[in-house]
Amino acid sequence: MVGITQVFYYSLFLLSPFCVIAGMLFTLIAKDESFLSDKNRVDAIYAWESAGSMMGGIILNFVLIWYFKTFESLYILMAIGVFVTLYLAVKTNHTFISGILIFVFLAFNFLYFQNDLDKSVRELSFPNQEIQFVKDTPFGVLAITKHAEQTNYYENNVLMASSGDVTVKEEAAHFPMVQYDNPKNVLVLSGIITGILDEIVKHPVQRIDYVDVNPWVIKIAKDFFEIDSMKPVHIIKDDPIRYLKSVDQKYDVVIINLPKPSTIQFNRFYSQEFFLLLKNHLTPNAVISFSMPSSSNYLNEEARNLLSILNKTLKTAFDHVMILPGSEDYILASDKELTYQITEQIAAKNILTQYVNDYYFDDDLLKSRSQLIMGQLTDDVPLNKSYNPVCYQSQIKLWLSHFDVNYWLPALIILLFSGFFFIRASDVNKGVFAAGFAGTSIEFVLLLVFQVIYGYVYVVAGMFIMIFMGGLAVGAYYTPKVFKTIDRKLFSRILLFIALFVFVLPAIFILLKNIYLPAVVIFITFFLLLAFISISTGVVFSMATRLGHNDHGVIASNVYGLDLLGAAAGALLFAIYLVPVAGFLWSVVITGVLNLFVAGWVWVKK
Amino acid sequence: MKKQAISKREFLKYGFLGSCFCLLGAGKLHAINKLSLSTGDLWKWSKLSRYYIDTPRGAKCLICPNECTLKEDEAGDCRSRVNHKGKIYSIGYGNPCSLHVDPIEKKPLYHFLPESRSFSLAVAGCNLACLNCQNWQISQVSPKDTRNYDLMPSEVYKQAKHYNCQSIAYTYSEPIAFYEYFYDSAKIAKAHGIKNVMISAGYINEKPLRDVAKYLDAANIDLKSFSDEIYARLNAGSLDPVLNTLKILKEEGVWLEITNLVVPDWTDDLDMIKQMCQWLYKNGFEDTPLHFSRFTPMHKLTHVPATPISVLNKARTIAMNEGLKYVYIGNVPGTDAENTYCPNCKNIIIERKGFRIIQNNLKEGKCKKCNTPIAGVW
């Protein structure tokens, strides 16, 4: 498991060379271009840079991800970079640079074509395992490895399942299945690779609907994991929420094997809204089940908080909730009373199992351990809602507890780092910081609210980024053409405008959540909102470059630096701290207040 | 010419400072957390240690081979011992964070009162830091950071009796870290006819081990690997003290079973396993049950897949070929390697399935068929 310190250092090590050079290049080009054309061209360069980012996004999302491996994509990007630089070097008679470039490129080509770099990197990720299959999909990188006779399945290098693991599949299947007298219709959300379907069919079910958004997972399950009990199974390749919203089918048992709420994207499967949606698809007394990491022999504060939130949220939709400790903590909910007599039921129903039986389980001990956990839960926690994704924060805290790292320390470091530059910045550049913060935060929140309302994002996330970049380009490029006179008052008005827009957003979100709109209207609405905030951010950038009185290079570096710093602070603080702590709506309001404050500051400080 | 907002010199200066800030920032994530551990304040559950000496650098703890030298108010590596006014106190006395009733087979102890129940308790803290720790929630924190019960040694045996347990298991975290509580509870329990079992990594110094051994009835020692380097990298420990613990427990007449967790890519080298088995045989542990336990992804090794069953089977074959008589495979439901076989006639002595006994062909500690004594506490 990778810790936050490692994430920090690896990101710094891997990204710094590119980021530092890209940042320097921006300043250099902005300065040169302004010098050569004898006018301020900083905003135009910013517009071109944003347009380039947008193009990069389009190519990545629609070509590279689909048709190329990671190193193939990198090779293409490098080749483009080399040829553009070569063209410029030849054009300006820099033969030495041309020579070096050609040499480096040829040397790299030799290295690249002699080695399968993708394979080498993968092998480093899976030491002593034989890689049998790797597939880059829009939903993540799927890998199958072999270690002795055992097949392992990884998603984005996270181990998801291993063959021969009877413990997980039997617990996940039979803990909920025995709770219902005679389950006929079962819904399974993800997890086919664990072999859970083979266990479910040991019960006399008539129909199993299996929902998975990634079609490759189903193919892998069939090819590598000997999933043979597919007779009553209906495979549905869709997002679970989209699927549930599109059908009227009722189920007796629902087994959720979706990833834990470690991201806001997955948090939605543990929200009150999702449980209520599920409830509409359940027969009376139906049972739902999912699992959280095992609390083993002690429920630490982080796990206690997570389970308390889930317990309280489930109780808004179900009368009874039970946690059964096994290889994971299995959380069951139903309107009928749930039983601890798991092995008794297994025996009564004559289900043949290897692990979930009275040889390995003592129902009384299971009950006492379960009650011990339930007895420690508290109601003094918030509900997990779509607009208030508290499970996500709780899961982050649980992850951090492995590493003895305080949840709030990264926030402190971010605040000190960005605060240092913010305080030192000129009034106008403070505005750029605030706009950068708002731009990224609102882009993020729009993406998440879109997910809440529409169901899921995936490819749409790429489109959001493209639109945002396009908006920045348009805003920065057309500002000098639209506004003939730019002064501090106009600048602070634009910031005020952003603040007002941000303040209105919560009302829009509540409205969108409570009325039904066709998909096309949802798309258009969100794209317009996104375009609005990104164009405004671009406008602020452009105006700031024209309000500066320094050398163009200095203006470029200061404004660009504060813009990116604001964006970085927004991305980190908003996603990891503000949203989980304050919820979407209040986080948006806080962002608006920052812009309002800076707008007032710029207006007053002349 | 206008003055530039920042000169080249300033750029380099701020750039350098910024980089240092970034690097230190990540380091601080840990450093600041360490402060919270260094608390020497005593509380109700503090007990003066018998195993420390004063040194010019501070009080030196002598419980385990870490031998932490603690300055005033500092806590040891185990997080459960502090220096208060120059004396070392355990801060985990009578405040277990985990109390459960478990089948004795779960420890695992297969040759000790089969099918009995054990009252299991743990106090937070551990003198090792295994990357694969199953109980990381309690082993890597201080007793001050957990929600604890108030259960003084004089009450422990009563709880065991209340739950109809024949033994008390000091387990889950590391009994060595809460030695004083473990010692006093074991002493009182023994006097009241309750047996004591220690489930430990065995990373303890000789004197405290010999002192507590007289109250111990059984122990399962986790021999984590047979390599000093792996012990250092995987567990923050070393091999020799653990081997010494095995020898001492045997000398002291404590019933001993050994667990070896086979972690892929860490401790699954079959040559190393062979060396380990050879050492065990050579040192007279042929009658000591050895459990090869299947690793499941845990704590900081969640990316490492579970141990393939064939690897465990190979390890078992190696151990038996080296002369060890009772070799088991754990964490693999349904395997035949849960059964006890007579080392002489090879018939099943005890057929197990999980924590239950299906058939028992043991009579007065001997094989019913060939009368060969089967080592254990039956």
Side-chain angles (χ1 to χ4, degrees):
Chain A
M1 185 188 280
V2 179
I4 191 167
T5 319
Q6 289 150 302
V7 169
F8 182 87
Y9 282 131
Y10 283 127
S11 307
L12 196 70
F13 175 73
L14 288 173
L15 295 176
S16 292
F18 173 78
C19 294
V20 170
I21 291 171
M24 286 173 140
L25 210 55
F26 174 83
T27 308
L28 185 71
I29 293 172
K31 185 178 178 177
D32 270 12
E33 181 64 15
S34 301
F35 176 76
L36 292 171
S37 57
D38 200 24
K39 57 182 178 182
N40 187 340
R41 296 279 290 160
V42 177
D43 49 5
I45 299 302
Y46 183 75
W48 281 109
E49 195 228 18
S50 301
S53 299
M54 187 181 76
M55 279 304 295
I58 292 171
I59 293 168
L60 178 75
N61 278 289
F62 296 108
V63 182
L64 297 181
I65 281 183
W66 294 88
Y67 303 108
F68 295 95
K69 293 178 187 171
T70 309
F71 275 88
E72 289 171 347
S73 300
L74 288 173
Y75 181 82
I76 292 168
L77 295 178
M78 191 188 80
I80 293 170
V82 166
F83 285 121
V84 169
T85 317
L86 203 60
Y87 169 75
L88 291 172
V90 170
K91 201 179 167 190
T92 51
N93 290 325
H94 285 90
T95 46
F96 181 65
I97 292 175
S98 316
I100 288 177
L101 258 178
I102 290 168
F103 175 76
V104 169
F105 189 55
L106 288 177
F108 182 80
N109 269 289
F110 179 75
L111 184 75
Y112 182 79
F113 289 109
Q114 287 295 313
N115 298 284
D116 185 342
L117 294 178
D118 271 293
K119 191 166 173 260
S120 304
V121 170
R122 299 259 180 262
E123 280 169 353
L124 280 178
S125 306
F126 310 113
N128 291 337
Q129 296 177 57
E130 186 193 326
I131 298 170
Q132 299 219 311
F133 174 86
V134 177
K135 177 73 187 168
D136 283 288
T137 75
F139 310 99
V141 183
L142 312 182
I144 297 290
T145 69
K146 199 97 174 167
H147 185 202
E149 78 288 356
Q150 185 174 284
T151 307
N152 306 304
Y153 167 60
Y154 290 84
E155 261 183 39
N156 296 320
N157 281 23
V158 176
L159 180 66
M160 304 300 282
S162 293
S163 62
D165 193 347
V166 294
T167 313
V168 171
K169 66 177 179 180
E170 288 195 6
E171 286 179 345
H174 300 301
F175 281 0
M177 289 297 285
V178 298
Q179 303 285 343
Y180 198 89
D181 283 343
N182 197 13
K184 296 286 176 218
N185 295 304
V186 179
L187 174 65
V188 181
L189 304 179
S190 194
I192 189 170
I193 281 177
T194 61
I196 190 171
L197 299 183
D198 292 344
E199 294 303 315
I200 294 172
V201 294
K202 289 179 180 173
H203 297 258
V205 292
Q206 288 174 352
R207 180 188 174 100
I208 302 173
D209 285 341
Y210 176 80
V211 181
D212 207 312
V213 75
N214 194 344
W216 279 94
V217 175
I218 296 155
K219 182 172 164 40
I220 286 170
K222 287 179 180 170
D223 291 352
F224 293 95
F225 282 82
E226 297 167 5
I227 308 294
D228 45 22
S229 304
M230 302 296 280
K231 206 177 166 191
V233 179
H234 295 77
I235 301 283
I236 298 141
K237 294 166 189 169
D238 201 351
D239 176 81
I241 291 179
R242 295 292 298 170
Y243 168 71
L244 286 168
K245 284 184 174 174
S246 67
V247 296
D248 295 322
Q249 179 75 32
K250 301 267 182 191
Y251 298 99
D252 304 320
V253 177
V254 178
I255 299 173
I256 302 163
N257 293 306
L258 292 157
K260 310 286 183 270
S262 52
T263 65
I264 292 186
Q265 187 177 354
F266 293 126
N267 182 83
R268 66 199 167 113
F269 298 120
Y270 303 90
S271 65
Q272 185 185 28
E273 290 85 347
F274 181 68
F275 295 145
L276 291 170
L277 176 65
L278 261 184
K279 188 86 189 274
N280 291 333
H281 293 79
L282 299 179
T283 55
N285 297 333
V287 180
I288 74 158
S289 164
F290 57 88
S291 68
M292 286 292 129
S294 168
S295 50
S296 197
N297 295 303
Y298 175 77
L299 195 64
N300 71 3
E301 270 312 313
E302 292 79 10
R304 179 177 174 238
N305 190 55
L306 179 62
L307 293 180
S308 295
I309 292 168
L310 289 166
N311 178 47
K312 187 172 176 180
T313 308
L314 276 167
K315 279 187 173 165
T316 61
F318 299 95
D319 292 342
H320 299 277
V321 179
M322 171 198 272
I323 298 174
L324 291 177
S327 57
E328 297 224 295
D329 285 346
Y330 290 88
I331 302 162
L332 281 64
S334 174
D335 280 343
K336 72 162 199 165
E337 203 157 331
L338 296 157
T339 179
Y340 297 101
Q341 305 302 315
I342 304 294
T343 65
E344 194 181 297
Q345 289 293 318
I346 286 278
K349 291 182 175 213
N350 209 16
I351 308 286
L352 196 64
T353 54
Q354 244 183 301
Y355 180 67
V356 178
N357 50 48
D358 64 354
Y359 299 118
Y360 290 88
F361 282 87
D362 181 316
D363 287 341
D364 291 341
L365 293 184
L366 187 68
K367 181 181 177 182
S368 85
R369 281 198 175 235
S370 171
Q371 287 177 336
L372 198 64
I373 293 176
M374 295 299 290
Q376 294 178 71
L377 303 187
T378 171
D379 274 342
D380 192 20
V381 286
L383 291 174
N384 188 39
K385 295 184 173 187
S386 298
Y387 284 171
N388 195 26
V390 286
C391 266
Y392 158 62
Q393 182 205 33
S394 203
Q395 181 73 23
I396 291 176
K397 285 183 175 175
L398 185 59
W399 169 63
L400 287 175
S401 69
H402 282 271
F403 303 100
D404 200 15
V405 172
N406 189 303
Y407 174 70
W408 295 102
L409 277 175
L412 186 69
I413 290 169
I414 296 162
L415 279 173
L416 285 173
F417 188 75
S418 52
F420 173 77
F421 289 100
F422 180 77
I423 289 165
R424 281 180 55 87
S426 67
D427 301 336
V428 169
N429 286 344
K430 283 187 173 71
V432 175
F433 179 93
F437 188 97
T440 318
S441 305
I442 300 307
E443 180 194 11
F444 177 77
V445 85
L446 285 173
L447 193 63
L448 295 171
V449 174
F450 176 84
Q451 178 185 266
V452 170
I453 290 162
Y454 182 68
Y456 70 105
V457 283
Y458 302 113
V459 181
V460 182
M463 291 166 72
F464 265 59
I465 294 165
M466 284 181 269
I467 291 171
F468 187 79
M469 289 300 168
L472 287 181
V474 169
Y477 193 80
Y478 285 102
T479 297
K481 299 184 190 336
V482 173
F483 301 100
K484 294 300 170 197
T485 313
I486 294 170
D487 58 18
R488 289 169 68 105
K489 279 193 173 175
L490 181 62
F491 182 75
S492 59
R493 274 194 204 109
I494 298 290
L495 284 174
L496 181 66
F497 198 53
I498 291 176
L500 293 176
F501 169 73
V502 171
F503 285 138
V504 172
L505 275 179
I508 297 174
F509 293 161
I510 292 167
L511 188 71
L512 286 172
K513 199 181 164 195
N514 289 305
I515 55 169
Y516 175 79
L517 290 171
V520 66
V521 179
I522 297 175
F523 271 83
I524 291 170
T525 307
F526 276 84
F527 288 170
L528 285 176
L529 291 171
L530 194 62
F532 189 89
I533 187 67
S534 58
I535 289 172
S536 306
T537 310
V539 170
V540 168
F541 185 94
S542 174
M543 286 186 172
T545 63
R546 282 158 197 280
L547 287 170
H549 300 294
N550 285 315
D551 167 73
H552 291 141
V554 175
I555 291 172
S557 65
N558 284 347
V559 178
Y560 191 56
L562 264 296
D563 175 53
L564 292 183
L565 199 62
L572 283 164
L573 293 177
F574 199 86
I576 300 173
Y577 296 98
L578 276 178
V579 170
V581 172
F584 281 150
L585 304 182
W586 280 107
S587 303
V588 168
V589 171
I590 291 167
T591 307
V593 168
L594 174 69
N595 276 266
L596 189 65
F597 169 75
V598 177
W601 180 275
V602 176
W603 183 278
V604 173
K605 297 262 291 182
K606 289 178 182 170
Chain B
M1 188 180 163
K2 276 185 180 170
K3 187 182 178 297
Q4 288 191 346
I6 187 166
S7 67
K8 276 179 193 163
R9 188 178 294 272
E10 282 174 324
F11 172 78
L12 290 172
K13 190 171 83 179
Y14 289 128
F16 178 72
L17 283 174
S19 305
C20 290
F21 186 81
C22 279
L23 291 168
L24 284 174
K28 276 285 169 198
L29 295 179
H30 281 300
I32 294 176
N33 271 282
K34 290 283 174 202
L35 296 178
S36 65
L37 297 173
S38 310
T39 168
D41 293 341
L42 297 185
W43 61 352
K44 178 185 169 185
W45 298 280
S46 303
K47 176 89 172 177
L48 186 64
S49 170
R50 286 194 286 145
Y51 305 95
Y52 75 93
I53 52 165
D54 285 325
T55 76
R57 289 202 177 95
K60 184 176 182 178
C61 179
L62 299 175
I63 282 278
C64 85
N66 286 339
E67 301 202 340
C68 304
T69 300
L70 308 178
K71 290 188 171 57
E72 182 70 27
D73 288 348
E74 270 187 353
D77 288 348
C78 62
R79 298 169 165 88
S80 63
R81 304 179 163 272
V82 299
N83 177 342
H84 180 72
K85 295 183 178 170
K87 295 173 179 173
I88 290 187
Y89 287 83
S90 162
I91 53 168
Y93 190 86
N95 57 345
C97 58
S98 199
L99 297 174
H100 296 287
V101 174
D102 288 331
I104 194 76
E105 283 79 5
K106 198 176 175 182
K107 300 298 144 194
L109 284 169
Y110 278 13
H111 290 226
F112 182 80
L113 307 177
E115 275 199 316
S116 67
R117 287 183 169 192
S118 191
F119 182 70
S120 307
L121 65 84
V123 176
C126 180
N127 52 349
L128 296 180
C130 307
L131 296 177
N132 56 302
C133 184
Q134 189 185 353
N135 288 295
W136 60 272
Q137 298 98 325
I138 51 176
S139 68
Q140 302 305 309
V141 294
S142 159
K144 291 198 171 182
D145 296 329
T146 49
R147 292 185 310 284
N148 302 326
Y149 301 90
D150 190 347
L151 189 72
M152 283 298 162
S154 57
E155 298 299 314
V156 175
Y157 82 91
K158 292 177 188 168
Q159 289 290 312
K161 283 191 168 175
H162 174 75
Y163 288 107
N164 204 20
C165 297
Q166 284 179 260
S167 61
I168 298 166
Y170 307 90
T171 180
Y172 303 142
S173 53
E174 175 52 70
I176 295 161
F178 57 92
Y179 181 88
E180 288 73 14
Y181 180 46
F182 160 41
Y183 180 96
D184 287 353
S185 301
K187 187 178 175 182
I188 297 169
K190 184 104 176 168
H192 288 86
I194 298 286
K195 296 193 185 313
N196 295 293
V197 301
M198 173 175 85
I199 313 303
S200 165
Y203 203 60
I204 184 170
N205 283 339
E206 183 170 346
K207 176 81 171 73
L209 178 61
R210 287 200 189 273
D211 287 348
V212 77
K214 54 182 180 268
Y215 303 114
L216 280 181
D217 297 285
N220 185 304
I221 299 299
D222 196 359
L223 181 53
K224 292 171 187 291
S225 72
F226 205 67
S227 153
D228 225 23
E229 192 208 335
I230 294 172
Y231 250 104
R233 286 171 50 223
L234 182 64
N235 317 106
S238 56
L239 175 61
D240 281 347
V242 184
L243 298 181
N244 203 35
T245 292
L246 298 179
K247 288 178 186 170
I248 292 168
L249 287 172
K250 189 173 159 53
E251 280 170 25
E252 294 289 336
V254 177
W255 175 251
L256 178 64
E257 301 195 19
I258 298 168
T259 296
N260 178 238
L261 182 71
V262 183
V263 185
D265 208 32
W266 284 92
T267 64
D268 62 345
D269 179 354
L270 295 175
D271 287 335
M272 183 178 71
I273 287 172
K274 189 174 181 178
Q275 287 170 30
M276 177 181 81
C277 297
Q278 284 169 342
W279 183 92
L280 288 172
Y281 184 79
K282 204 174 137 192
N283 286 276
F285 291 97
E286 68 271 24
D287 280 333
T288 302
L290 173 62
H291 303 259
F292 286 111
S293 199
R294 190 186 194 201
F295 163 83
T296 50
M298 204 67 75
H299 191 33
K300 292 181 181 174
L301 294 188
T302 47
H303 58 291
V304 177
T307 323
I309 293 163
S310 64
V311 173
L312 296 164
N313 283 327
K314 282 178 191 166
R316 181 168 181 259
T317 305
I318 288 170
M320 294 179 81
N321 288 343
E322 292 303 325
L324 303 187
K325 292 178 183 169
Y326 310 106
V327 188
Y328 302 99
I329 290 178
N331 288 345
V332 180
T335 173
D336 287 346
E338 288 180 314
N339 301 331
T340 302
Y341 295 90
C342 174
N344 182 40
C345 68
K346 311 297 178 196
N347 280 305
I348 290 182
I349 300 290
I350 297 175
E351 185 185 356
R352 294 185 185 83
K353 205 166 180 187
F355 308 129
R356 306 256 185 254
I357 290 179
I358 309 297
Q359 58 167 314
N360 189 342
N361 296 318
L362 198 68
K363 193 179 174 189
E364 293 169 355
K366 292 175 182 171
C367 171
K368 265 184 192 172
K369 268 204 167 163
C370 68
N371 228 21
T372 300
I374 306 298
V377 179
W378 307 108

